[in-house]
Amino acid sequence: MKFTVTAARDLAERVLAALGHDATDAVLIADHLIDCELRGLAYGGLARAISIAERIARTGDRRRAIRVLHETPVSARLDGGDQLGYLVAHRATQIATGKAEATGIAVVGASDTWYTGMLSYYAEIAAARGLVSVIASNASPWVAPHGATEGRFGTNPICFGFPSADEPVIWDVGTSAIIHAEVTLARRLGQLLPADVAFDAEGQPTRDPGAALAGAFAAWGGHKGSGLGIVVQLLGIMAGSPPIPPELAGFGFVIITMRPDLMGSADDFRANVSAYAKGVRTARPVDGGAPVRMPFDRSRAERQRRRAADAIEIPDEICRQLNDIVARQPAGVNS
Amino acid sequence: MKFTVTAARDLAERVLAALGHDATDAVLIADHLIDCELRGLAYGGLARAISIAERIARTGDRRRAIRVLHETPVSARLDGGDQLGYLVAHRATQIATGKAEATGIAVVGASDTWYTGMLSYYAEIAAARGLVSVIASNASPWVAPHGATEGRFGTNPICFGFPSADEPVIWDVGTSAIIHAEVTLARRLGQLLPADVAFDAEGQPTRDPGAALAGAFAAWGGHKGSGLGIVVQLLGIMAGSPPIPPELAGFGFVIITMRPDLMGSADDFRANVSAYAKGVRTARPVDGGAPVRMPFDRSRAERQRRRAADAIEIPDEICRQLNDIVARQPAGVNS
């Protein structure tokens, strides 16, 4: 079903209100989900609201206020209060960017959260304030380390962001061979997974998304990529995540952000980032290949295209389930 | 030829003295090269001293003193003075760890250096002081971004280090499909490269190390890995490296280091890192596979084995060239 961006945003906000979020939080979470849709990452878009509803149905609403447990001029540690990562990570980003603007560099960690979304969302916030950022978020042990068939870390995204004289450079990757939300969406739509991305509970390769969710996904990038997944898990542990979090709870989030003028002229740095990006994009492509892309170029182009068309396509089955949530639980019931 | 560790260290120090390094610096650089040998990374070991001699023969000795250009309580920016990265990165690490101990988190960047070696060497220093670290070093444009056949970034290592209750966890990877020193060593020994790791100057695949050095190496890890190489280049640019440094000069180095007790109990964190590492190592291996390893486990075991045997094997041709350097340029000539 085709929505205008405004209509899709409105639907997302109504679903989130039905799930007990006040207007401010619903707007913030919906903005993140809509940004996923605009960027063509449907598995992290409106479909994610169904996964949120399922999680709350399973555990009950355990939310507490997000609290600062410990703070210094260059750091803060938050208790996420079992709130959605979209909210906790946004709060952490606000605190980290404020502190970095004041002191030069800051680190903020948060524990007891879940579903932190696209880390690039937070890196864009930091870059818009002229800051370089390093962001990581761990999760439940859905992913097997290289050489193993049992989960020991999450799909564990990591992201670096850089301001430039024009568009920021953002590198945001997951460290698993497949993203959790892709597997959930495949199960929801009755599709098979690609080969070689998952093990079942007995450690045998599987293409069944249900079996993969009961087993483990493969790590991305052999031993190097697997090591990066471990790095993200350790950063999450530093932020207060248990070494192996339970299902969809207890995730950690870390953002380090800094002013490039600690090192020299910020203007020179921004100009150099832009010049460098241009240099990469104009590198000679492989025979018959497309022009070379910088990280985030695809996302930026997709977002511009859908914004210009003012159109977001949501599968009918997802629309039906979203409308069910709104019908089942009128806004305000849990808030 | 087989050396005791002491004899290999002595040879390295004599070569470095012949290349104009005073005793303090020669000891520091030799320690790094010997650590490479102990860890089984011969391409970064004593053979590297020959590459250093060739670089100095080509450019002349342009060394200036390493200087602090700009400093805050949480940062420093160094001019590396065209000194070897082993020295510049070591200095940056000393400053960063001292500042992080005082303020909680610090970032130090350095420009105008070359050959920064294994970043894990610096991460081990930080971890021994109980600090978490993020370290990156860019280089000359030897590596083609994913989809390109022309160099736009260096072999660009990146490293994360974590203290634990026993052995630190260190993840240190290059972002190219092959390491520069491996290609140099292959050329020195007259060997072919593996397939699919390099392009010649015309952009065609090549296995000839000389053609690869005139062309470009492939990036590691497809678009994700290529993006990480770009991230490292941008971190280097932040530290004052030109976007595209010249051959073996103008590299950047960045270290961010922080106290885990910014986030909570440092003892709990260290215990959790150890427990997590144990959990990874005991994950069920793939059918017929070896036990799962944590990053750095292989290096640590190799180092222990060679230390216990007190034996380092150096190819005869490398020994001959090292002895030539000592004979050609007696210690003290350039210092």
Side-chain angles (χ1 to χ4, degrees):
Chain A
M1 190 172 165
K2 192 174 274 186
F3 287 74
T4 65
V5 177
T6 303
R9 193 180 294 272
D10 181 62
L11 174 59
E13 289 175 14
R14 280 185 294 123
V15 173
L16 291 160
L19 293 174
H21 290 285
D22 67 24
T24 309
D25 287 356
V27 165
L28 196 56
I29 301 166
D31 189 62
H32 198 128
L33 303 186
I34 293 297
D35 200 44
C36 284
E37 294 286 354
L38 289 170
R39 289 171 54 186
L41 311 172
Y43 50 81
L46 264 65
R48 177 55 68 83
I50 302 169
S51 299
I52 295 170
E54 289 172 348
R55 168 20 171 106
I56 294 173
R58 180 170 59 81
T59 63
D61 187 345
R62 307 186 298 200
R63 290 179 297 157
R64 310 179 308 280
I66 300 168
R67 283 193 310 140
V68 177
L69 296 179
H70 180 61
E71 197 168 13
T72 77
V74 294
S75 68
R77 160 74 199 286
L78 308 186
D79 167 9
D82 199 49
Q83 297 269 358
L84 277 167
Y86 307 106
L87 302 172
V88 175
H90 188 266
R91 179 80 66 87
T93 301
Q94 295 295 343
I95 296 172
T97 50
K99 284 181 185 285
E101 283 170 349
T103 63
I105 184 169
V107 57
V108 175
S111 62
D112 206 6
T113 186
W114 49 291
Y115 280 154
T116 48
M118 306 177 295
L119 300 189
S120 45
Y121 187 88
Y122 315 109
E124 285 198 271
I125 294 172
R129 295 171 76 157
L131 300 168
V132 171
S133 58
V134 186
I135 310 176
S137 176
N138 74 311
S140 312
W142 299 314
V143 181
H146 181 66
T149 62
E150 277 183 320
R152 286 295 185 273
F153 53 82
T155 43
N156 285 14
I158 183 164
C159 174
F160 285 75
F162 301 88
S164 83
D166 40 65
E167 300 289 2
V169 175
I170 313 251
W171 178 77
D172 177 13
V173 303
T175 52
S176 53
I178 191 162
I179 297 176
H180 188 268
E182 290 180 283
V183 181
T184 306
L185 188 59
R187 185 183 53 174
R188 216 179 285 296
L189 301 175
Q191 297 167 346
L192 283 180
L193 302 179
D196 300 325
V197 301
F199 303 98
D200 65 20
E202 280 71 48
Q204 298 307 310
T206 185
R207 295 189 59 195
D208 171 12
L213 288 166
F217 313 154
W220 162 74
H223 75 277
K224 283 188 190 183
S226 174
L228 187 54
I230 289 170
V231 161
V232 172
Q233 200 74 6
L234 292 175
L235 289 170
I237 292 169
M238 184 178 77
S241 166
I244 299 291
E247 182 63 16
L248 263 188
F251 296 6
F253 175 88
V254 174
I255 176 168
I256 301 167
T257 186
M258 70 193 113
R259 292 201 326 252
D261 69 356
L262 291 179
M263 298 288 129
S265 155
D267 286 344
D268 286 356
F269 175 64
R270 295 170 77 122
N272 279 336
V273 173
S274 291
Y276 180 71
K278 189 174 174 189
V280 169
R281 293 187 187 105
T282 55
R284 180 181 57 205
V286 293
D287 278 356
V292 179
R293 284 195 305 226
M294 281 289 283
F296 211 70
D297 279 357
R298 191 207 56 79
S299 274
R300 187 179 293 116
E302 290 275 329
R303 183 159 67 189
Q304 283 168 350
R305 186 173 64 74
R306 285 193 181 78
R307 272 190 185 147
D310 195 19
I312 291 176
E313 184 70 38
I314 314 280
D316 291 348
E317 173 60 18
I318 301 296
C319 290
R320 191 190 61 71
Q321 294 189 36
L322 291 170
N323 284 318
D324 274 0
I325 294 171
V326 176
R328 230 176 19 240
Q329 219 161 351
V333 164
N334 279 357
S335 56
Chain B
M1 193 173 164
K2 193 174 275 187
F3 286 73
T4 65
V5 176
T6 302
R9 192 179 295 273
D10 181 62
L11 173 58
E13 289 175 14
R14 280 186 293 124
V15 173
L16 291 159
L19 293 173
H21 290 285
D22 66 24
T24 308
D25 287 356
V27 165
L28 196 56
I29 301 166
D31 188 62
H32 198 127
L33 303 186
I34 293 297
D35 200 44
C36 284
E37 295 285 355
L38 289 170
R39 290 172 52 186
L41 311 172
Y43 50 80
L46 264 64
R48 176 55 68 84
I50 302 168
S51 299
I52 295 170
E54 289 172 348
R55 161 37 163 98
I56 295 172
R58 179 169 62 78
T59 63
D61 187 345
R62 308 185 298 200
R63 290 179 297 157
R64 310 178 308 280
I66 300 168
R67 282 191 312 140
V68 177
L69 296 179
H70 180 61
E71 196 168 14
T72 77
V74 295
S75 67
R77 160 74 198 287
L78 308 185
D79 167 10
D82 199 48
Q83 297 269 358
L84 276 168
Y86 307 106
L87 302 172
V88 175
H90 188 267
R91 179 80 66 88
T93 301
Q94 295 294 343
I95 295 172
T97 50
K99 284 182 185 284
E101 283 170 349
T103 64
I105 184 169
V107 56
V108 175
S111 62
D112 207 5
T113 186
W114 50 291
Y115 281 153
T116 48
M118 306 176 294
L119 301 188
S120 45
Y121 187 88
Y122 315 109
E124 284 197 272
I125 293 172
R129 294 171 75 157
L131 300 168
V132 171
S133 58
V134 185
I135 311 175
S137 177
N138 74 311
S140 311
W142 298 314
V143 181
H146 181 67
T149 62
E150 278 184 320
R152 286 294 184 274
F153 52 83
T155 43
N156 284 16
I158 183 164
C159 174
F160 285 76
F162 300 88
S164 83
D166 38 65
E167 299 290 1
V169 175
I170 314 251
W171 178 78
D172 176 13
V173 304
T175 53
S176 53
I178 190 163
I179 297 175
H180 189 268
E182 289 180 283
V183 181
T184 306
L185 188 59
R187 186 183 53 175
R188 214 179 286 295
L189 301 175
Q191 297 166 345
L192 283 180
L193 303 179
D196 300 324
V197 301
F199 303 98
D200 65 20
E202 280 71 47
Q204 298 306 311
T206 185
R207 295 189 59 193
D208 171 11
L213 288 166
F217 313 153
W220 161 74
H223 75 277
K224 283 189 190 182
S226 174
L228 186 55
I230 288 170
V231 160
V232 172
Q233 200 74 6
L234 292 175
L235 289 170
I237 290 169
M238 184 178 77
S241 166
I244 299 290
E247 182 63 16
L248 262 188
F251 295 7
F253 175 88
V254 175
I255 176 169
I256 301 167
T257 186
M258 69 193 113
R259 291 202 325 253
D261 68 356
L262 292 179
M263 298 288 129
S265 154
D267 285 344
D268 286 356
F269 175 64
R270 295 169 77 121
N272 279 336
V273 174
S274 291
Y276 179 71
K278 190 174 173 189
V280 170
R281 293 188 187 104
T282 53
R284 179 181 56 205
V286 293
D287 278 355
V292 178
R293 283 193 306 225
M294 282 288 283
F296 211 70
D297 278 357
R298 192 207 56 78
S299 274
R300 187 179 294 117
E302 291 275 329
R303 182 159 69 189
Q304 282 168 350
R305 187 174 64 75
R306 284 193 182 77
R307 271 191 186 146
D310 194 19
I312 292 177
E313 184 71 38
I314 314 280
D316 291 349
E317 174 59 18
I318 301 296
C319 290
R320 192 190 60 72
Q321 294 189 37
L322 291 170
N323 284 317
D324 275 0
I325 294 170
V326 176
R328 230 175 21 239
Q329 219 161 354
V333 164
N334 278 359
S335 54

